[in-house]
């Protein structure tokens, strides 16, 4: 019976492979969407992760960097810097806005840096130099490709023009490209002086950062302080939570599609093999065995689809950013495992109707011409 | 030939029904993906147009409304209102915040308004009565189980929900407060040296006098108030859509392409297995002298008929799915019936029918007319 199951399946190679590829595409759709979200979420925390201060200090009530607005009086930075546990405090001014270059617009994050202080600046430049003068800007290298930019070109931020002095690596994502300018230039742009957005606090060796966080919150009024790990975890959670519902919906829709494709293919196979199944039944093969063979065929097609989707995810998905550089794709093992689990459900659901048809095939059909 | 194609489809009704359902599912997936992208652009457009402004004045150099930081001097309102043709300039400020409750976080775009530009689609409650009132989008209300008169805490300042609206864009729910509320929020937070630190005025919604010439007023405004750039609401909405496209198009483009590949594979699969199963019928047709061209035309006709039957069911499936997505996740708008995109998608689906006709061509070509005389 087992041999017949596979023999009959492979006798319809075109149906087998086309349906497996169809279902694989539905799985790829889910994997791709989730991987993009994972990639974007990871890229959103790239900047704070690379800065890695021991503690982040921000406005009271604020707990995130991404899509947040925070104001901290400048004198509070001095107050924290004077604490014996603190080695260094690096303030940044932070703005999210629309960035324009050569008619190309994108939503970006601009970090204002203190003069001659690269503690909070770009961690890798692919071309150019650090910011030295007025109205200079460091731009993500991916944006350079998208807008065909060169060093010396102009970037427009509201009514101010900035000259590109460098391109930075690892600072681009669709939701969160990071640009760097001088803090004083950003202050002028915002017409806001005497405040910072966030303070990056580096503590002395051996200091208990959790205690320092508590001390900062106690001694400095109206600020919030978080360890680096907690701060990054907040941003990552925000990015992931924004996608939970839409990823679930996409998974559901694509799974239904996969179920229908499998159901159709199994049904088509059963239709083609009606005569053979009738013979099997006439020969005394019990219905549950035939029923099982339909389930195995459905499972095999789905697993083949899952294999194709997994190989695609491991080999082809990582190449997509080469073609579409603005997309960050990160397929994860846990994602593939969950799609694998979905594949089992798809196979089972897809086999229900064809299996029902198998049960209803009359062995007497053998005697019909 | 049409009659024959119909007869072939009607031969195994159960199978035809399954085929149509599978095709309808593919069509609905593509329509949902396209509708999701289109819905994002519509939301971006509506957020600007729903502010009901004839013109919008923004910081010089700023051409967008959403996700942009515009800061204009407070006194510019007087200068704008002094220009001939301007009836009134309504201030508006945008504040991005992260709302957190029960370990869940949501970025929220707060619109601060005064005399105009407030919530456009109140579903429940009222706009505001006190400074501490807030109107929130229904997606926030549903996600966090918030109701009228509940507390809504922003940066440790407690607002009271006075209304529920239906406004979101860029995958962000909107909330509305008035200027009293914003000043209380800033003052009670005591977080900066003075109020001027904060973005107090982002945009001016310019209301024109009847019969005022928009373009002439724009020219006069830009000449007499150099700190602002003035655009029509439609221009700003268009710019926001362009911005949205740079964000959504690369991702949605790949997704929709994969959707089309699935469509092609499924239609191809269906036609291949269908023709494969009725190989003998084609052999009979060949034996009685049907030329290959005609048989190919019949396959295309058959797949076109299947697609045509699948289109209304696929559209219905897409509409039902869109409705259930919008009901469970009101932050999203899935715009299925956008005329251009809808017909483009249907056109592409019909193209599948043509291309997929090529898949089983080889079977027809190879089927031996002698097969017609073999016993089954």
């Amino acid at each position: 019976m087992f041999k017949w199951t596979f023999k009959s399946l492979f006798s319809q190679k075109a149906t087998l492979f086309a349906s497996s590829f169809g279902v694989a595409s539905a799985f790829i759709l889910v994997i791709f969407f989730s991987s993009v979200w994972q990639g974007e979420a990871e890229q959103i925390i790239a900047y704070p992760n690379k800065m890695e201060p021991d503690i982040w200090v921000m406005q009271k009530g604020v707990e995130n960097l991404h899509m947040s607005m925070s104001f901290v009086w400048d004198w509070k930075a001095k107050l924290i810097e004077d604490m014996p546990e603190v080695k260094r405090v690096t303030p940044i001014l932070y703005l999210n806005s629309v960035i324009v270059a050569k008619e190309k617009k994108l939503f970006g994050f601009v970090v204002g840096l203190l003069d001659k202080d690269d503690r909070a600046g770009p961690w890798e430049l692919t071309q150019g130099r650090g910011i030295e003068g007025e109205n200079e800007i460091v731009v993500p290298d991916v944006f350079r490709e998208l807008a065909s930019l060169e060093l010396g070109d102009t970037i427009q931020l509201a009514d101010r023009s900035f000259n590109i002095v460098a391109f930075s690596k690892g600072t681009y994502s669709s939701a969160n490209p990071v640009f760097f300018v001088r803090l004083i230039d950003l202050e002028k742009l915002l017409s806001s002086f005497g405040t910072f957005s966030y303070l990056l606090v580096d503590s002395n060796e051996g200091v208990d950062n959790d205690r320092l966080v508590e001390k900062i919150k106690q001694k400095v009024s109206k600020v919030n302080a978080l360890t680096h790990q907690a701060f990054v975890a907040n941003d990552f959670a925000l990015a992931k939570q924004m996608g939970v519902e839409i990823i679930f919906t996409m998974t559901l829709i694509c799974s239904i599609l996969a179920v229908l494709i499998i159901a159709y293919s199994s049904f088509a196979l059963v239709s083609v093999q009606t005569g053979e199944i009738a013979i099997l039944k006439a020969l005394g093969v019990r219905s549950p065995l035939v029923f099982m063979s339909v389930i195995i065929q459905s499972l095999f097609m789905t697993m083949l689809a899952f294999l194709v989707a997994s190989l695609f995810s491991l080999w082809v998905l990582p190449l997509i950013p080469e073609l579409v550089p603005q997309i960050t794709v990160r397929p994860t093992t846990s994602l593939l495992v969950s799609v694998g689990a979905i594949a089992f459900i798809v196979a089972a659901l897809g086999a229900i109707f064809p299996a029902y048809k198998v049960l209803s095939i009359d062995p007497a059909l053998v005697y019909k011409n | 030939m049409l009659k024959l194609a119909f007869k072939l489809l009607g031969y195994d009704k159960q199978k035809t029904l399954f085929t149509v359902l599978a095709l309808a599912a593919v069509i609905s997936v593509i329509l949902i993906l396209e509708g999701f992208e289109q819905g994002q652009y519509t939301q971006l457009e509506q957020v600007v147009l729903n502010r009901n402004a004839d013109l919008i004045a923004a910081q010089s150099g700023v051409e967008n409304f959403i996700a942009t930081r515009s800061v204009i001097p407070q006194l510019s309102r007087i200068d704008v209102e002094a220009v001939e043709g301007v009836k009134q300039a309504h201030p508006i400020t945008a504040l991005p915040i992260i709302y957190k409750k029960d370990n869940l976080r949501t970025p929220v775009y707060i619109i601060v308004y005064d005399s105009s530009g407030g919530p456009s689609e109140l579903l429940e409650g009222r706009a505001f009565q006190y400074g501490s009132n807030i109107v929130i989008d229904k997606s926030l209300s549903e996600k966090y189980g918030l109701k009228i008169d509940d507390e809504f805490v922003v940066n440790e300042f407690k607002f009271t929900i006075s209304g529920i609206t239906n406004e979101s864009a860029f995958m962000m729910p909107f909330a509305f407060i008035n200027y009293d509320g914003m000043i209380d929020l800033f003052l009670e937070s005591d977080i900066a040296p003075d109020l001027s630190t904060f973005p107090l005025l982002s945009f001016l919604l310019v209301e024109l006098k009847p019969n005022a010439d928009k373009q002439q007023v724009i020219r006069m405004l830009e000449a007499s108030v150099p700190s602002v750039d003035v655009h029509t609401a439609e221009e700003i909405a268009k710019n926001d859509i362009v911005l949205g496209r740079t964000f959504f198009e690369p991702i949605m483009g790949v997704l929709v392409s994969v959707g089309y590949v699935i469509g092609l594979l499924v239609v191809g699969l269906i036609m291949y297995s269908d023709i494969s199963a009725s190989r003998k019928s084609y052999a009979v047709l060949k034996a009685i002298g049907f030329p290959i061209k005609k048989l190919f035309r019949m396959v295309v006709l058959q797949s076109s008929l299947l697609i045509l039957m699948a289109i209304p069911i696929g559209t219905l499936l897409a509409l039902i799915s869109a409705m259930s997505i919008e009901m469970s996740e009101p932050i999203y708008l899935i715009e299925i019936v956008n005329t251009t995109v809808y017909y483009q998608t249907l056109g592409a689906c019909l193209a599948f029918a043509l291309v997929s006709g090529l898949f089983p061509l080889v079977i027809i070509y190879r089927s031996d007319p002698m097969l017609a005389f073999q016993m089954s």
Side-chain angles (χ1 to χ4, degrees):
Chain A
M1 191 65 209
F2 192 71
K3 204 175 162 189
W4 177 83
T5 303
F6 282 96
K7 200 181 153 196
S8 64
L9 186 62
F10 279 96
S11 69
Q12 302 291 323
K13 285 193 191 75
T15 306
L16 168 66
F17 291 114
S19 61
S20 293
F21 276 100
V23 175
S25 308
F27 289 155
I28 287 167
L29 212 58
V30 173
I31 294 170
F32 174 72
F33 199 78
S34 307
S35 304
V36 166
W37 213 283
Q38 176 74 19
E40 284 297 318
E42 284 181 22
Q43 202 53 36
I44 277 170
I45 56 166
Y47 175 69
N49 245 345
K50 286 283 180 185
M51 295 304 102
E52 211 183 345
D54 294 302
I55 291 162
W56 290 82
V57 175
M58 64 222 82
Q59 176 185 324
K60 196 174 182 187
V62 175
E63 295 183 343
N64 289 77
L65 178 71
H66 183 64
M67 299 177 93
S68 286
M69 194 169 69
S70 164
F71 297 96
V72 179
W73 284 26
D74 52 2
W75 57 264
K76 290 178 183 174
K78 182 82 181 81
L79 208 65
I80 296 168
E81 197 158 30
D82 287 344
M83 291 179 180
E85 298 91 337
V86 174
K87 187 174 154 191
R88 182 183 190 184
V89 173
T90 311
I92 59 164
L93 200 55
Y94 184 76
L95 159 79
N96 41 20
S97 194
V98 176
I99 283 108
V100 186
K102 288 188 176 173
E103 306 291 310
K104 188 103 189 166
K105 280 183 183 182
L106 88 161
F107 174 60
F109 290 77
V110 188
V111 178
L113 306 169
L114 285 181
D115 282 0
K116 291 170 189 163
D117 188 343
D118 58 2
R119 169 67 182 89
W123 49 96
E124 190 179 345
L125 297 181
T126 51
Q127 203 185 347
R129 55 160 176 85
I131 297 166
E132 290 169 1
E134 199 179 340
N135 293 333
E136 291 184 343
I137 191 165
V138 177
V139 170
D141 56 356
V142 173
F143 190 47
R144 173 199 182 177
E145 283 178 49
L146 297 177
S148 309
L149 297 171
E150 294 297 334
L151 292 178
D153 281 349
T154 305
I155 292 275
Q156 198 71 26
L157 249 171
D159 55 349
R160 291 180 81 90
S161 299
F162 290 83
N163 290 321
I164 302 172
V165 293
F167 295 104
S168 60
K169 196 176 177 183
T171 48
Y172 189 91
S173 78
S174 289
N176 192 44
V178 186
F179 296 75
F180 299 92
V181 299
R182 286 194 323 163
L183 192 137
I184 192 161
D185 292 334
L186 205 52
E187 279 185 329
K188 284 179 197 166
L189 183 85
L190 294 169
S191 312
S192 162
F193 301 91
T195 57
F196 300 127
S197 301
Y198 295 86
L199 306 175
L200 286 68
V201 179
D202 294 312
S203 59
N204 285 314
E205 216 168 293
V207 168
D208 181 337
N209 289 325
D210 290 325
R211 279 193 182 177
L212 184 54
V213 161
E214 289 311 313
K215 184 176 174 181
I216 291 171
K217 286 203 270 192
Q218 269 177 13
K219 302 275 177 191
V220 187
S221 64
K222 302 286 180 186
V223 298
N224 187 22
L226 289 167
T227 60
H228 172 68
Q229 292 74 15
F231 186 65
V232 168
N234 285 350
D235 264 10
F236 193 68
L238 174 75
K240 293 284 278 184
Q241 278 171 21
M242 279 180 78
V244 167
E245 299 94 354
I246 191 71
I247 288 173
F248 174 77
T249 310
M250 279 291 300
T251 308
L252 191 69
I253 291 170
C254 291
S255 302
I256 293 170
L257 178 63
V259 168
L260 276 168
I261 297 173
I262 284 294
Y264 171 79
S265 309
S266 298
F267 187 81
L269 279 174
V270 170
S271 296
V272 170
Q273 297 154 1
T274 307
E276 283 183 49
I277 294 169
I279 292 171
L280 286 171
K281 280 188 162 184
L283 287 173
V285 176
R286 286 180 301 127
S287 286
L289 266 179
V290 188
F291 181 87
M292 275 310 291
S293 84
V294 174
I295 303 272
I296 290 170
Q297 285 183 346
S298 159
L299 197 66
F300 185 81
M301 279 191 283
T302 316
M303 286 306 125
L304 187 64
F306 174 62
L307 185 72
V308 172
S310 302
L311 292 177
F312 184 89
S313 311
L314 294 173
W315 289 340
V316 183
L317 279 190
L319 300 177
I320 286 180
E322 301 286 326
L323 300 168
V324 194
Q326 58 269 51
I327 296 179
T328 313
V329 188
R330 295 264 194 283
T332 59
T333 318
S334 61
L335 173 64
L336 292 182
V337 170
S338 41
V339 172
I342 292 169
F344 269 102
I345 302 168
V346 164
L349 292 176
I352 291 175
F353 190 70
Y356 170 75
K357 186 174 163 77
V358 162
L359 293 179
S360 64
I361 291 175
D362 185 359
L365 211 66
V366 177
Y367 305 104
K368 282 188 183 171
N369 189 346
Chain B
M1 189 172 284
L2 189 68
K3 206 175 163 186
L4 185 61
F6 263 117
K7 272 208 163 178
L8 280 170
L9 289 176
Y11 180 68
D12 188 344
K13 288 192 185 71
Q14 239 177 7
K15 194 176 169 193
T16 303
L17 179 72
F18 238 114
T19 309
V20 170
L21 273 180
L23 289 175
V26 175
I27 293 172
S28 74
V29 167
I30 297 172
L31 283 174
I32 290 167
L33 288 173
E34 296 267 29
F36 174 79
E37 187 182 358
Q38 208 50 47
Q40 293 294 327
Y41 303 145
T42 302
Q43 283 181 322
L44 283 169
E45 185 183 40
Q46 288 307 313
V47 154
V48 181
L49 299 183
N50 284 348
R51 305 285 68 80
N52 294 321
D54 295 317
L55 300 171
I56 297 177
Q59 179 178 352
S60 174
V62 172
E63 296 176 338
N64 291 77
F65 181 78
I66 193 90
T68 195
R69 184 74 169 269
S70 167
V71 185
I72 51 182
Q74 288 172 66
L75 291 176
S76 57
R77 183 181 180 183
I78 300 165
D79 299 334
V80 167
E81 284 182 334
V83 170
E84 177 76 36
V86 174
K87 186 181 172 193
Q88 210 179 337
H90 308 278
I92 203 163
T93 300
L95 300 173
I97 61 125
I98 306 290
Y99 179 69
K100 186 192 165 195
K101 193 185 169 197
D102 307 329
N103 279 330
L104 282 176
R105 290 180 165 82
T106 306
V108 181
Y109 211 61
I110 296 186
I111 301 278
V112 186
Y113 71 105
D114 180 30
S115 41
S116 182
S120 63
E121 200 184 331
L122 264 180
L123 304 172
E124 236 183 291
R126 56 175 173 260
F128 63 86
Q129 192 173 14
Y130 308 104
S132 61
N133 282 160
I134 189 166
V135 175
I136 60 166
D137 179 60
K138 68 172 175 181
S139 65
L140 277 172
S141 139
E142 285 180 20
K143 184 172 179 178
Y144 294 94
L146 296 168
K147 293 184 284 296
I148 304 281
D149 293 334
D150 281 355
E151 271 182 0
F152 189 89
V153 182
V154 177
N155 292 353
E156 300 193 346
F157 180 80
K158 286 175 188 164
F159 284 99
T160 306
I161 299 169
S162 67
I164 311 285
T165 184
N166 180 21
E167 278 187 87
S168 52
F170 226 38
M171 303 208 280
M172 267 190 303
F174 277 53
F176 296 84
I177 59 174
N178 65 14
Y179 272 87
D180 289 346
M182 181 182 77
I183 289 165
D184 288 347
L185 167 72
F186 287 156
L187 285 178
E188 289 196 23
S189 305
D190 187 25
I191 42 182
D194 59 65
L195 271 177
S196 65
T197 304
F198 300 106
L200 291 176
L201 184 56
S202 301
F203 302 94
L204 284 168
L205 306 175
V206 182
E207 191 183 341
L208 299 182
K209 286 177 184 164
N211 305 323
D213 180 337
K214 266 189 191 177
Q215 292 308 320
Q216 200 183 343
V217 176
I218 290 175
R219 280 192 295 276
M220 285 194 294
L221 278 169
E222 290 190 339
S224 56
V225 194
S227 58
V228 300
D229 271 357
V230 184
H231 303 271
T232 61
E234 291 75 17
E235 280 169 354
I236 297 255
K238 205 172 147 193
N239 291 340
D240 279 357
I241 291 173
V242 171
L243 183 70
R245 281 190 195 283
T246 62
F247 181 77
F248 289 111
E249 249 178 13
I251 299 167
M252 294 312 295
V254 178
L255 281 171
V256 172
S257 308
V258 177
Y260 280 123
V261 170
I262 299 178
L264 197 63
L265 277 172
V266 171
V267 182
L269 154 78
I270 287 167
M271 291 319 297
Y272 192 94
S273 57
D274 198 46
I275 303 299
S276 184
S278 19
R279 187 183 295 201
K280 201 173 168 191
S281 311
Y282 283 94
V284 171
L285 292 173
K286 261 178 132 180
I288 59 171
F290 260 76
I292 284 282
K293 257 187 193 173
K294 269 199 171 176
L295 290 176
F296 173 64
R297 248 184 266 157
M298 195 162 68
V299 172
V300 172
L301 196 63
Q302 225 178 312
S303 55
S304 304
L305 282 174
L306 285 170
I307 290 273
L308 286 173
M309 282 191 268
I311 283 172
I313 302 172
T315 308
L316 192 69
L317 276 177
L319 285 169
I320 294 168
S321 309
M323 225 153 53
S324 50
I325 294 171
E326 285 173 8
M327 270 166 73
S328 63
E329 306 299 336
I331 196 166
Y332 300 114
L333 171 71
I334 319 280
E335 205 176 64
I336 304 291
V337 196
N338 176 293
T339 326
T340 321
V341 178
Y342 181 69
Y343 287 117
Q344 264 174 12
T345 309
L346 298 192
C349 291
L350 280 170
F352 289 167
L354 281 173
V355 178
S356 62
L358 298 172
F359 282 55
L361 192 63
V362 67
I363 305 179
I364 299 173
Y365 191 75
R366 281 187 189 161
S367 64
D368 187 354
M370 286 302 288
L371 208 64
F373 306 104
Q374 280 178 13
M375 288 278 286
S376 56

